[in-house]
């Protein structure tokens, strides 16, 4: 890759980051949570998930499925922890143990086998619920799905745009 092509790819990626921030500033006021702060970081996290999914359309689809499953399992952990409330210190660790044990079996299922995407989405979800009112689990999931889709889409746009730029510059 020529230096000019690399610089153009870097500028393209920076422009996309600029656009994600603008999207957040326009979108956050319509979200059920986070209107005052937004969730740009969720889009950036999902963007990175696209890159470790293999930077292909199939990888991106697997990442989106993993992202959604990770959010679902996070809600499952919260709900399951409630069943073990009689052991306050251990209620969350027990729920995490059970859910993670089950999640790891998805590694055997084609198309929903991208376990790292699930863990990243789950960690992001738990980070988000620390900043919302208790009981907003569904709203948190909704917002994370929206911003996750934006980030994954921008991952795909990044790679495809860099390919186009590289072809145009290196003719």
């Amino acid at each position: 890759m020529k230096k000019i092509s690399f610089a153009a790819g870097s500028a393209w990626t920076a422009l996309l980051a600029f656009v994600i921030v603008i999207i957040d500033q326009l979108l956050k006021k319509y979200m059920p949570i986070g209107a005052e702060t937004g969730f740009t970081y969720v889009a950036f996290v999902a963007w990175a998930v696209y890159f470790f999914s293999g930077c292909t359309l199939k990888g991106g689809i697997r990442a989106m499925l993993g992202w959604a499953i990770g959010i679902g399992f996070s809600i499952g952990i919260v709900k399951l922890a409630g069943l073990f409330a009689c052991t306050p210190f251990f209620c969350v660790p027990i729920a995490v143990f059970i859910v993670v044990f089950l999640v790891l079996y998805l590694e055997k299922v084609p198309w929903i086998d991208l376990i790292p995407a699930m863990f990243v989405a789950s960690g992001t979800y738990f980070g988000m619920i620390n900043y919302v009112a208790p009981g907003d689990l569904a709203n948190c999931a909704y917002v994370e799905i929206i911003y996750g889709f934006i980030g994954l889409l921008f991952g795909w746009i990044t790679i495809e745009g860099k390919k186009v730029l590289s072809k145009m510059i290196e003719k």
Side-chain angles (χ1 to χ4, degrees):
M1 178 180 283
K2 296 179 182 176
K3 288 181 185 178
I4 188 77
S5 181
F6 184 81
S10 296
W12 171 249
T13 305
L15 175 65
L16 292 175
F18 172 87
V19 170
I20 282 181
V21 174
I22 289 174
I23 289 171
D24 178 51
Q25 289 177 357
L26 296 171
L27 186 63
K28 68 184 180 183
K29 61 187 164 200
Y30 300 106
M31 294 291 109
I33 60 171
E36 60 288 336
T37 58
F39 289 103
T40 302
Y41 81 93
V42 176
F44 277 96
V45 168
W47 195 356
V49 168
Y50 181 82
F51 292 124
F52 72 65
S53 74
C55 294
T56 64
L57 184 57
K58 179 182 177 182
I61 292 167
R62 289 174 57 231
M64 178 53 87
L65 293 170
W67 189 266
I69 290 167
I71 294 167
F73 280 123
S74 297
I75 293 170
I77 288 169
V78 172
K79 297 296 186 182
L80 191 57
L83 296 176
F84 299 106
C86 61
T87 61
F89 184 81
F90 288 105
C91 64
V92 174
I94 291 169
V96 167
F97 177 85
I98 292 168
V99 171
V100 169
F101 180 82
L102 297 172
V103 166
L104 292 177
Y105 277 90
L106 294 177
E107 191 172 3
K108 304 275 186 195
V109 183
W111 287 94
I112 57 170
D113 58 349
L114 193 60
I115 304 300
M118 295 174 203
F119 275 81
V120 171
S122 180
T124 302
Y125 183 82
F126 282 112
M128 288 176 69
I129 65 172
N130 287 318
Y131 298 100
V132 299
D136 261 349
L137 301 179
N139 283 334
C140 196
Y142 171 76
V143 170
E144 187 177 357
I145 286 289
I146 301 262
Y147 278 86
F149 176 76
I150 291 168
L152 291 167
L153 178 63
F154 271 65
W156 178 79
I157 292 169
T158 301
I159 299 304
E160 294 306 310
K162 287 172 83 172
K163 287 178 189 175
V164 169
L165 283 170
S166 181
K167 284 181 185 175
M168 287 172 39
I169 292 168
E170 295 182 15
K171 289 192 220 186

